[in-house]
């Protein structure tokens, strides 16, 4: 029996993507390389062992420039959105989407970082995409930087601690706001700002000796500069009162493995450092006490400059956006771990996981929404949610992806429950309406789309687009709100 869900009339239903996972065309029209385009595809024997594809030396990165080893670098090719954006945007519109989340490749706009003028061809590509969205009646949500750090950052030996990098970033962000504020209402300065720093288990006492921990601790200094840069983007956005700037955090709901207070406390500590710390700085504009204590105990230097605290306080984000794919468990002892990509989480015997070890938990989304609304009282937006599955086209040129229909329907149901609980959730962009190159494992095989793209892991195929069963289901859901 179909079940009708309730959503506010103006709820923003949409789809999310990122430049480095869709565009391709990595070396045309003046674009230079980004670091992500220098990471080769590695066939994984065990799909849950994502780290195996990430062991790269600096030499590997340098060798990729002229591809000495003849490897395949998937993010150079994406899904060919650069050439097919018109068709894709039309398909998004026909699916019933009202908002399209995308990002800008920094290397298309400032190929060398400090170029005197922005690259005109790069700017006009995005203008064309926005024009197309406008023509199709799609609102745009724009991520200014979605993980794709330009290679010139590495060449110049810059980190976020260097003023030169935040100056370049701010010049880039301001240019985009000046040029495109008429097209883009929702702005996200950084994608998943927490992923680079806090890799969950690293904060359990057991893993606190050793190099990785040191690396993570010292990256809090870099992160502070990103927080400040983000606040400056918010400050600048006030020039255009019709636009809104939000934060973007990779969220996972986490449960204590049992009711042993030791594990409950450990879970709270993990939640603090994995997520709430970030929201606290970006929404409340202050570093929470537990973070300051941790910094003190581990000797973390933030290197705040005069005026930083005031800036963070004065220019918090106007809404919270977050990605939600899974939940996990936490125990004081390591417990059983699933290798859910970069975010390692403990297993939950009540949940099923995807082939990649991501535990599916729609109710965890309702829990998460309530938590965020209770704590922050700013409008919430789910900027990513979806299921990655390895799929092939069947003889009828489609994919019978009932598992995706089930995944989406169950998450939508919990969103509508959260709204009934009183949560101010104003939109949702699914990851992703169309198959893209995976962020974590660089494969095409990990497909999230309602639209199938005919490329394999080595970019072999026609690139043609085919509609999966979920596309028709979603189209109908947009009309009926029935699951
Ligand atoms: P892929 C890990 C955990 C949660 C979200 O990821 C993550 C990651 C990174 O792998 O990233 C977001 O493609 C990210 C998207 C990404 C999507 O999740 O590894 O913002 O770029 O594609 C899904 O399956």
């Amino acid at each position: 029996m179909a079940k009708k869900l309730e959503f506010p009339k103006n709820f923003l239903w949409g789809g999310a993507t990122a430049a480095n996972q869709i565009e391709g065309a990595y070396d045309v029209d003046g674009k230079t390389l980004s670091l992500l385009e220098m990471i080769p595809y590695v066939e994984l024997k065990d799909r849950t062992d994502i780290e195996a594809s990430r062991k790269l030396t600096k030499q590997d990165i340098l060798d990729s420039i002229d591809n000495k080893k003849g490897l395949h670098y998937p993010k150079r090719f994406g899904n060919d959105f650069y050439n097919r954006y018109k068709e894709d945007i039309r398909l998004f519109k026909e699916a019933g989407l009202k908002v399209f989340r995308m990002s800008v490749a920094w290397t298309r706009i400032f190929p060398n970082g400090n170029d005197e003028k922005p690259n005109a061809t790069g700017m006009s590509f995005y203008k064309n995409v926005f024009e197309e969205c406008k023509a199709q009646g799609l609102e745009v949500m724009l991520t200014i930087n979605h993980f794709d750090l330009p290679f010139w950052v590495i060449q110049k030996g810059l980190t976020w601690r260097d003023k030169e990098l935040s100056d370049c970033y701010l010049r880039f962000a301001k240019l985009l706001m000046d040029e495109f504020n008429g097209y883009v209402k929702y702005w996200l300065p950084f994608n998943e700002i927490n992923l680079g720093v806090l890799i969950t288990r690293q904060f359990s006492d057991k893993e606190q000796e050793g190099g990785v921990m040191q690396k993570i601790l010292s990256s809090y200094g870099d992160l502070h500069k990103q927080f400040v840069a983000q606040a400056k983007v918010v400050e600048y956005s006030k020039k255009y009162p019709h636009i809104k700037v939000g934060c973007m955090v990779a969220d996972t709901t986490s449960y204590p493995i049992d009711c042993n207070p030791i594990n409950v406390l450990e879970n709270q500590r993990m939640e603090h450092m994995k997520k709430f710390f970030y929201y606290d700085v970006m929404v409340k504009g202050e570093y929470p006490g537990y973070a300051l204590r941790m910094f003190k105990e581990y000797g973390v230097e933030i290197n705040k400059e005069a005026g930083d605290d005031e800036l963070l306080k004065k220019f918090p984000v106007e809404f919270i956006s977050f990605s939600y794919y899974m939940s996990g468990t936490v125990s004081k002892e390591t417990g059983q771990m699933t290798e859910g990509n970069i975010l390692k989480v403990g297993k939950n015997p009540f949940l099923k996981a995807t082939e990649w070890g991501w535990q599916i938990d729609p109710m965890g989304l309702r829990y998460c929404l309530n938590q965020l609304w209770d704590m922050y009282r700013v409008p919430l937006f789910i900027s990513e949610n979806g299921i990655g599955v390895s799929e092939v086209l069947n003889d009828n040129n489609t994919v019978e992806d009932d598992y995706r229909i089930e995944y989406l329907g169950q998450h939508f149901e919990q969103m509508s429950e959260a709204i009934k609980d009183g949560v101010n959730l104003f939109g949702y962009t699914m990851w992703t309406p169309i198959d893209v190159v995976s962020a974590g494992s660089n494969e095409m095989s990990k497909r999230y789309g309602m639209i199938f793209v005919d490329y394999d892991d080595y970019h072999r195929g026609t690139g043609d687009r085919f509609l999966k069963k979920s596309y028709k289901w979603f189209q109908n859901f947009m009309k009926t709100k029935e699951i």
Side-chain angles (χ1 to χ4, degrees), residues 326-444:
M326 60 187 138
S327 71
T329 59
V330 171
S331 66
K332 186 70 178 174
E333 290 312 311
T334 55
Q336 283 176 290
M337 307 290 284
T338 61
E339 302 276 326
N341 205 326
I342 323 177
L343 293 182
K344 286 186 184 170
V345 295
K347 274 187 186 155
N348 183 333
F350 299 99
L351 301 177
K352 290 202 183 100
T354 69
E355 223 179 313
W356 280 266
W358 294 23
Q359 296 181 121
I360 303 171
D361 184 10
M363 283 188 189
L365 176 57
R366 176 178 174 187
Y367 182 85
C368 171
L369 286 163
N370 271 284
Q371 249 185 342
L372 293 177
W373 177 245
D374 287 347
M375 291 176 73
Y376 301 106
R377 283 287 192 270
V378 294
L380 306 179
F381 190 100
I382 300 166
S383 45
E384 288 181 28
N385 167 250
I387 182 169
V389 179
S390 104
E391 298 168 318
V392 285
L393 274 188
N394 67 18
D395 294 342
N396 300 320
N397 278 337
T398 185
V399 179
E400 305 277 334
D401 54 346
D402 294 283
Y403 39 82
R404 181 166 293 108
I405 293 172
E406 191 185 348
Y407 182 100
L408 294 174
Q410 289 178 351
H411 284 78
F412 296 173
E413 185 177 11
Q414 295 302 320
M415 283 151 53
S416 103
E417 291 297 328
I419 293 171
K420 284 187 201 162
D421 293 334
V423 173
N424 180 0
L425 172 68
F426 71 102
Y428 169 99
T429 46
M430 95 174 51
W431 188 270
T432 158
I434 188 162
D435 292 345
V436 304
V437 174
S438 154
S441 49
N442 270 304
E443 41 195 335
M444 245 347 253

Side-chain angles (χ1 to χ4, degrees), residues 216-460:
I216 290 171
L217 288 175
S218 61
S219 63
Y220 279 106
D222 293 19
L223 185 65
H224 175 73
K225 300 290 181 209
Q226 284 186 275
F227 286 146
V228 170
Q230 176 163 283
K232 287 184 179 165
V233 173
V234 176
E235 179 180 26
Y236 195 75
S237 75
K238 303 295 178 196
K239 222 174 133 181
Y240 306 108
H242 61 283
I243 70 177
K244 301 216 174 305
V245 181
C247 62
M248 164 49 166
V249 171
D251 213 312
T252 47
T253 294
S254 84
Y255 309 109
I257 190 81
D258 58 26
C259 52
N260 183 340
I262 291 178
N263 294 330
V264 175
L265 211 56
E266 177 68 2
N267 184 55
Q268 185 176 57
R269 201 166 70 99
M270 297 295 272
E271 282 191 305
H272 274 162
M273 293 314 299
K274 265 165 66 181
K275 50 195 259 185
F276 297 132
F277 158 70
Y278 296 87
Y279 294 120
D280 279 356
V281 178
M282 298 188 289
V283 181
K284 294 183 176 165
E286 59 191 37
Y287 276 73
Y290 54 77
L292 297 178
R293 174 183 177 175
M294 193 273 284
F295 293 164
K296 205 166 154 197
E297 288 178 3
Y298 291 99
V300 175
E301 278 295 332
I302 297 294
N303 294 329
K304 276 190 195 167
E305 283 172 48
D308 283 359
D309 281 334
E310 291 71 17
L311 201 75
L312 292 175
K313 195 81 198 166
K314 201 163 168 210
F315 298 107
V317 291
E318 290 149 290
F319 66 95
I320 284 178
S321 94
F322 64 93
S323 61
Y324 178 87
Y325 291 91
M326 60 187 138
S327 71
T329 59
V330 171
S331 66
K332 186 70 178 174
E333 290 312 311
T334 55
Q336 283 176 290
M337 307 290 284
T338 61
E339 302 276 326
N341 205 326
I342 323 177
L343 293 182
K344 286 186 184 170
V345 295
K347 274 187 186 155
N348 183 333
F350 299 99
L351 301 177
K352 290 202 183 100
T354 69
E355 223 179 313
W356 280 266
W358 294 23
Q359 296 181 121
I360 303 171
D361 184 10
M363 283 188 189
L365 176 57
R366 176 178 174 187
Y367 182 85
C368 171
L369 286 163
N370 271 284
Q371 249 185 342
L372 293 177
W373 177 245
D374 287 347
M375 291 176 73
Y376 301 106
R377 283 287 192 270
V378 294
L380 306 179
F381 190 100
I382 300 166
S383 45
E384 288 181 28
N385 167 250
I387 182 169
V389 179
S390 104
E391 298 168 318
V392 285
L393 274 188
N394 67 18
D395 294 342
N396 300 320
N397 278 337
T398 185
V399 179
E400 305 277 334
D401 54 346
D402 294 283
Y403 39 82
R404 181 166 293 108
I405 293 172
E406 191 185 348
Y407 182 100
L408 294 174
Q410 289 178 351
H411 284 78
F412 296 173
E413 185 177 11
Q414 295 302 320
M415 283 151 53
S416 103
E417 291 297 328
I419 293 171
K420 284 187 201 162
D421 293 334
V423 173
N424 180 0
L425 172 68
F426 71 102
Y428 169 99
T429 46
M430 95 174 51
W431 188 270
T432 158
I434 188 162
D435 292 345
V436 304
V437 174
S438 154
S441 49
N442 270 304
E443 41 195 335
M444 245 347 253
S445 303
K446 194 178 184 185
R447 296 175 183 273
Y448 285 84
M450 307 188 289
I451 303 164
F452 183 93
V453 174
D454 179 28
Y455 282 128
D456 69 6
D457 292 330
Y458 291 92
H459 201 67
R460 291 172 302 211

Side-chain angles (χ1 to χ4, degrees), residues 46-307:
D46 173 3
R47 286 200 145 136
T48 64
D49 182 18
I50 215 80
E51 297 305 322
S53 68
R54 293 170 173 273
K55 287 184 189 115
L56 290 178
T57 63
K58 185 145 191 212
Q59 195 54 49
D60 292 330
I61 296 291
L62 295 175
D63 287 350
S64 80
I65 297 173
D66 47 13
N67 198 0
K68 284 204 181 94
K69 294 181 185 149
L71 299 174
H72 176 53
Y73 297 93
K75 288 183 179 126
R76 296 184 184 189
F77 306 97
N79 70 9
D80 199 27
F81 179 82
Y82 195 79
N83 297 307
R84 297 178 193 244
Y85 68 89
K86 283 195 179 166
E87 178 188 355
D88 291 350
I89 291 169
R90 182 177 56 76
L91 290 173
F92 299 159
K93 166 71 184 173
E94 285 170 10
L97 302 183
K98 298 190 172 86
V99 54
F100 176 44
R101 176 177 171 228
M102 54 179 273
S103 75
V104 178
W106 195 345
T107 47
R108 253 184 229 296
I109 308 300
F110 288 112
N112 307 296
N114 48 12
D115 311 65
E116 218 169 286
K117 279 198 207 135
N119 174 22
T121 344
M123 288 301 281
S124 63
F125 167 67
Y126 292 105
K127 186 165 188 286
N128 293 341
V129 172
F130 298 145
E131 281 288 351
E132 196 57 31
C133 289
K134 197 173 163 189
Q136 296 286 353
L138 284 173
E139 196 88 72
V140 179
M141 174 177 271
L142 195 68
T143 317
I144 296 173
N145 182 237
H146 192 118
F147 295 157
D148 49 349
L149 214 54
F151 180 54
W152 53 255
V153 175
I154 313 298
Q155 278 171 310
K156 292 179 185 197
L158 301 175
T159 70
W160 282 103
R161 282 181 197 238
D162 298 297
K163 196 173 169 306
E164 189 179 345
L165 182 52
S166 29
D167 284 352
C168 286
Y169 170 80
L170 282 167
R171 187 174 166 225
F172 172 51
K174 288 177 182 177
L175 170 81
L176 296 180
M177 277 189 277
D178 287 337
E179 294 298 316
F180 300 133
N181 71 80
Y183 295 104
V184 180
K185 185 162 170 198
Y186 301 99
W187 296 74
L188 306 175
F190 294 105
N191 185 58
E192 295 185 337
I193 194 162
N194 56 332
L195 266 197
V197 181
L198 199 69
I199 308 170
T200 63
R201 290 301 303 178
Q202 316 287 2
F203 274 87
S204 79
D205 289 333
K206 280 199 154 205
E207 290 157 47
Q208 267 161 10
E209 314 97 20
V212 180
M213 186 61 194
Q214 223 23 68
K215 227 175 173 174
I216 290 171
L217 288 175
S218 61
S219 63
Y220 279 106
D222 293 19
L223 185 65
H224 175 73
K225 300 290 181 209
Q226 284 186 275
F227 286 146
V228 170
Q230 176 163 283
K232 287 184 179 165
V233 173
V234 176
E235 179 180 26
Y236 195 75
S237 75
K238 303 295 178 196
K239 222 174 133 181
Y240 306 108
H242 61 283
I243 70 177
K244 301 216 174 305
V245 181
C247 62
M248 164 49 166
V249 171
D251 213 312
T252 47
T253 294
S254 84
Y255 309 109
I257 190 81
D258 58 26
C259 52
N260 183 340
I262 291 178
N263 294 330
V264 175
L265 211 56
E266 177 68 2
N267 184 55
Q268 185 176 57
R269 201 166 70 99
M270 297 295 272
E271 282 191 305
H272 274 162
M273 293 314 299
K274 265 165 66 181
K275 50 195 259 185
F276 297 132
F277 158 70
Y278 296 87
Y279 294 120
D280 279 356
V281 178
M282 298 188 289
V283 181
K284 294 183 176 165
E286 59 191 37
Y287 276 73
Y290 54 77
L292 297 178
R293 174 183 177 175
M294 193 273 284
F295 293 164
K296 205 166 154 197
E297 288 178 3
Y298 291 99
V300 175
E301 278 295 332
I302 297 294
N303 294 329
K304 276 190 195 167
E305 283 172 48

